[in-house]
Amino acid sequence: MSFERLKDLVVELALLATGVFALTYIVLEASADHHLKAVNFSTFPVMISAGIILLSAIKLTQTLTSILGLPTGTSNRSLLSLGERPRHTLVTMVRGNLKLITRFTGTVSLSVAYAFMLGNINFFVLTALFLLVMFWLYGLRHPIHTCLMAAASAAALYGLFVSFLHLPL
Amino acid sequence: MIAGLLHGFVDVGHPVNIALLFLGTGLGLIVGGLPGLSSPMAIVVLLPITYSMNTLSAMMILIGIYMGTKLGGSFTAILMRIPGTPAGACTMLDGYPMMQKGQGSAALGYSTIAAVVGGSIGWIFAVVFVPVIAYVAQQTSNADIALIGLAGLIIVASMMPGSTLKGWMGALLGLLFGTVGLDPISGINRYTFGSINLMSGIPFLPALIGFFGFTVILKDIRSLDVKGENLFGDATISLPGVSEVIRRWSSLAIGVIYGIAIGAVPGVGATTSTWIAYGFAKKRSKTPQLYGTGIPEGVLVPEAAAAAGIGGALIPMLTLGIPGDGSTAILLGALILHNVQPGVMLMQNNPGIVYGILTAVLISVVFMFIIARLMIRWFVRVFSQDRAWIFPIIIVLATVGAFANTNTIFPVYLAIGFGVLGYILDSRGYPVITIVLGLILGPIIEQNFRIALALSNYNWLTFIAGWPERIMVFVIVLLIANELRSAMRIVNRPEGARE
């Protein structure tokens, strides 16, 4: 089973689980109220959840069929859809793997940390530090340039958001 | 229409609005030229800055960005062989070879002229058709509005490249996200899990910032080390003569027609129109073998299509509340954030906004021409910079933008979460624009759906009461049935055949 198929499988299972959870949750909520009309607050979510379950089941079936090497149907490309999306291959993943993973996880975790500390630390200091670390993460290593750019950008952003827009940062 | 347009010119003619439009167009040219930065991203990141502005002023800067990116994307395509926008990829086919032949200035000139002509003619079509379609749309009932929204969503999802089922899945996810919060009719909490933060629903702005800001950055991290080759140190724009342009009128016409027609189809966008127009022009040309070797026609066609597509995309956006592309989806979100409800009643309730937007498009075309000619040298210097400098600043803009929505941190976490979700789904071929559309259109569809049923005493036949409704239901059912049938059919395939 290729890595790409495995990723497809995981995403489709997650979507199926989301649909099942959403359907179960809203049905339980609706069943607790016995005075509901035929069309009520749960109608739309039920329809949507059922749609998600149906489509993810179909995609899951296609993926499993492909993985198991069984004869399967034609492509589900619509007559209306135009063109293919490029897919990440195992080769490209391996090639840029470590640097990419570092940058990806670094971006997400640093962004979360930055958001967490917003309002607790001086905005200018926090932003300058954040930018400095991000520049380094993205491969910019000249110390003077990165420090100057981080400070200048933080100052400009401070002027925009705090001085001009009066945000409580 | 004329009176409305004149009012629009008066409103937009305010010095502040003109300045914002000028600024937005300049920003759009820069953003369009920088690979990895897109029009939707620029619009969504700058959206929080417009909170303190009135709606029309806010739309000025956003419309300016939208228009500017159309031309900006071709600059780096021609000069560096890296298209700044997906639509610029087609311009690169002939633009870069022209550059290599020493005709870089001419290529930029043809690109600029095509964008101005395409943008202007697209504007004319929008001005003519928006009032007409808006008038027809205003005669609609709640059932019609629900069906229009649903049909639009299904068509958009069907038009996405790749798997239609994945497009629909994205739309359904967006619809599901749209149900979070207090039910507007009964006041019952849905999917809030006891969280006060979710009681008012998933806020638009963090979702937009997540999907169009963080997702794009996470996707483009892998291309940070790719740098373009700039053979054109001292850039200028050399405009072609009138006779040169007139000689190539058919190329412009093909670009404009395809741009408007395809741009008006919800969800398709400028990228597709440029390739289809280019392909058609090449096919009907007496010298098709010259396309791709560096001829002006190869630049004129896609650029005219991309710019004209703006007029086309604005037609469904302003009349039906259905976006023609990602940028118009964000513009719809911007209207909602400024308490203007898009949809079939927009023209009736806010004609000043509609005509203001239309007027802004024309003025932005003029500004685009002026700014490009004056500042191309400076733009080239900016385009040559490493994007590693820009992405962290965008992250800060996005983070603070999400914070500014409610001055709380929760939306920021939502935005980052949606960014990661968008990255994962996009990498597996699920188009994030359909999620955003579902989030925007979901509440509108549901509310009108339930009101229509309530008014008809819960008679479901109200959705096929008239011929327009029957046609829409037929189209919806046909699309769904066809796709499900294709997906579920089990036929022996030759070995090695792929999906």
Side-chain angles (χ1 to χ4, degrees):
Chain A
M1 177 167 59
S2 75
F3 192 50
E4 293 300 308
R5 286 292 179 204
L6 179 62
K7 286 192 278 189
D8 282 336
L9 196 63
V10 168
V11 169
E12 284 150 14
L13 279 170
L15 289 170
L16 181 65
T18 302
V20 170
F21 172 77
L23 181 65
T24 311
Y25 184 88
I26 204 69
V27 164
L28 287 174
E29 288 281 304
S31 62
D33 189 334
H34 297 289
H35 302 289
L36 292 177
K37 290 188 170 61
V39 177
N40 53 64
F41 73 94
S42 66
T43 307
F44 206 57
V46 163
M47 290 162 68
I48 296 167
S49 308
I52 292 175
I53 292 170
L54 174 64
L55 293 185
S56 52
I58 293 173
K59 288 304 295 176
L60 204 54
T61 307
Q62 290 178 341
T63 304
L64 286 172
T65 305
S66 170
I67 289 171
L68 296 172
L70 294 174
T72 180
T74 62
S75 77
N76 62 352
R77 187 201 306 266
S78 164
L79 293 172
L80 298 171
S81 68
L82 305 157
E84 280 289 349
R85 293 183 66 85
R87 299 278 288 266
H88 300 308
T89 65
L90 189 56
V91 172
T92 56
M93 283 289 294
V94 168
R95 248 188 224 148
N97 214 7
L98 194 57
K99 190 194 276 187
L100 183 65
I101 289 175
T102 307
R103 284 181 176 173
F104 183 92
T105 50
T107 299
V108 175
S109 46
L110 284 168
S111 298
V112 171
Y114 179 70
F116 184 73
M117 288 189 273
L118 261 182
N120 297 320
I121 297 178
N122 177 270
F123 178 74
F124 173 77
V125 171
L126 178 66
T127 303
L129 277 173
F130 173 77
L131 289 174
L132 199 57
V133 175
M134 290 298 291
F135 289 151
W136 185 88
L137 181 69
Y138 288 165
L140 301 169
R141 300 291 157 90
H142 195 291
I144 297 173
H145 284 168
T146 50
C147 285
L148 282 174
M149 192 64 181
S153 303
L157 291 164
Y158 182 90
L160 174 65
F161 288 120
V162 180
S163 303
F164 181 63
L165 292 174
H166 303 293
L167 292 178
L169 290 167
Chain B
M1 180 177 84
I2 305 291
L5 261 184
L6 286 173
H7 269 296
F9 276 107
V10 168
D11 290 337
V12 173
H14 192 281
V16 170
N17 290 339
I18 288 287
L20 288 171
L21 192 52
F22 190 86
L23 176 67
T25 308
L27 273 173
L29 280 163
I30 295 172
V31 167
L34 288 168
L37 302 189
S38 60
S39 169
M41 177 200 257
I43 294 173
V44 84
V45 161
L46 291 174
L47 198 49
I49 296 172
T50 68
Y51 282 161
S52 55
M53 302 176 190
N54 66 53
T55 308
L56 189 60
S57 299
M59 297 310 289
M60 293 300 105
I61 197 167
L62 302 179
I63 291 288
I65 292 171
Y66 184 26
M67 179 55 82
T69 53
K70 296 301 173 192
L71 180 59
S74 66
F75 286 169
T76 43
I78 292 168
L79 298 176
M80 298 174 182
R81 206 172 49 184
I82 299 182
T85 57
C90 194
T91 307
M92 188 177 70
L93 295 179
D94 278 275
Y96 190 72
M98 281 184 77
M99 227 282 294
Q100 288 179 308
K101 289 195 280 191
Q103 297 167 8
S105 293
L108 292 174
Y110 278 108
S111 169
T112 305
I113 284 295
V116 169
V117 171
S120 303
I121 299 178
W123 175 81
I124 292 171
F125 269 81
V127 162
V128 167
F129 282 101
V130 161
V132 172
I133 297 175
Y135 175 76
V136 173
Q138 281 164 27
Q139 317 306 316
T140 54
S141 62
N142 293 101
D144 295 330
I145 295 171
L147 286 173
I148 288 170
L150 189 61
L153 201 52
I154 290 175
I155 291 171
V156 169
S158 302
M159 289 293 185
M160 290 288 127
S163 168
T164 299
L165 287 188
K166 289 182 177 177
W168 288 353
M169 180 69 82
L172 284 172
L173 267 180
L175 288 172
L176 189 65
F177 289 143
T179 61
V180 173
L182 280 176
D183 174 42
I185 294 176
S186 62
I188 296 173
N189 279 326
R190 295 187 297 194
Y191 302 116
T192 59
F193 310 112
S195 166
I196 296 173
N197 291 311
L198 289 176
M199 278 176 67
S200 52
I202 288 181
F204 280 135
L205 185 65
L208 294 177
I209 287 176
F211 287 124
F212 288 106
F214 284 106
T215 296
V216 174
I217 288 175
L218 292 174
K219 274 171 55 181
D220 283 332
I221 283 174
R222 65 177 60 244
S223 63
L224 272 178
D225 297 320
V226 174
K227 290 183 180 38
E229 184 189 348
N230 179 13
L231 301 174
F232 201 54
D234 193 21
T236 56
I237 292 179
S238 173
L239 291 176
V242 173
S243 57
E244 290 293 314
V245 175
I246 291 175
R247 194 155 62 88
R248 297 175 172 93
W249 71 270
S250 59
S251 302
L252 280 172
I254 290 170
V256 165
I257 290 168
Y258 274 94
I260 294 170
I262 296 176
V265 178
V268 180
T271 308
T272 309
S273 66
T274 56
W275 287 103
I276 294 178
Y278 185 91
F280 181 78
K282 181 176 176 181
K283 200 172 167 185
R284 72 175 285 280
S285 168
K286 293 190 179 94
T287 52
Q289 71 280 4
L290 292 180
Y291 276 78
T293 64
I295 56 173
E297 288 82 351
V299 172
L300 284 170
V301 171
E303 279 307 301
I310 289 183
L314 284 177
I315 295 172
M317 176 198 143
L318 295 174
T319 56
L320 303 173
I322 297 172
D325 57 15
S327 298
T328 42
I330 310 272
L331 290 174
L332 280 179
L335 286 173
I336 294 171
L337 283 164
H338 283 270
N339 297 319
V340 173
Q341 187 66 30
V344 299
M345 301 308 289
L346 179 64
M347 181 64 120
Q348 180 171 317
N349 295 336
N350 295 282
I353 301 290
V354 174
Y355 283 111
I357 290 173
L358 289 172
T359 310
V361 167
L362 182 66
I363 299 177
S364 185
V365 168
V366 175
F367 283 162
M368 183 174 65
F369 176 77
I370 295 170
I371 297 171
R373 288 222 63 193
L374 291 177
M375 301 190 69
I376 181 65
R377 284 198 181 94
W378 188 80
F379 285 153
V380 170
R381 280 203 206 112
V382 173
F383 298 154
S384 309
Q385 300 307 313
D386 195 332
R387 281 173 298 145
W389 292 111
I390 297 166
F391 279 8
I393 296 171
I394 291 175
I395 292 174
V396 172
L397 282 169
T399 304
V400 177
F403 172 84
N405 188 220
T406 54
N407 290 336
T408 56
I409 285 298
F410 181 73
V412 183
Y413 296 140
L414 265 185
I416 296 172
F418 278 127
V420 173
L421 175 67
Y423 173 80
I424 293 170
L425 291 175
D426 186 80
S427 68
R428 306 324 308 154
Y430 294 85
V432 295
I433 184 178
T434 55
I435 304 176
V436 170
L437 285 178
L439 189 57
I440 291 174
L441 293 176
I444 298 171
I445 294 172
E446 184 189 6
Q447 194 157 6
N448 284 282
F449 168 76
R450 287 168 70 180
I451 291 173
L453 279 174
L455 289 175
S456 65
N457 211 18
Y458 297 98
N459 181 1
W460 288 77
L461 293 176
T462 192
F463 292 107
I464 50 171
W467 278 108
E469 290 91 349
R470 288 172 195 163
I471 292 171
M472 277 191 284
V473 169
F474 176 73
V475 168
I476 291 169
V477 169
L478 185 68
L479 281 174
I480 295 174
N482 181 58
E483 291 310 317
L484 288 180
R485 192 174 132 263
S486 304
M488 292 172 75
R489 193 169 62 212
I490 299 183
V491 179
N492 284 330
R493 289 196 306 178
E495 272 192 20
R498 295 180 67 80
E499 188 178 340

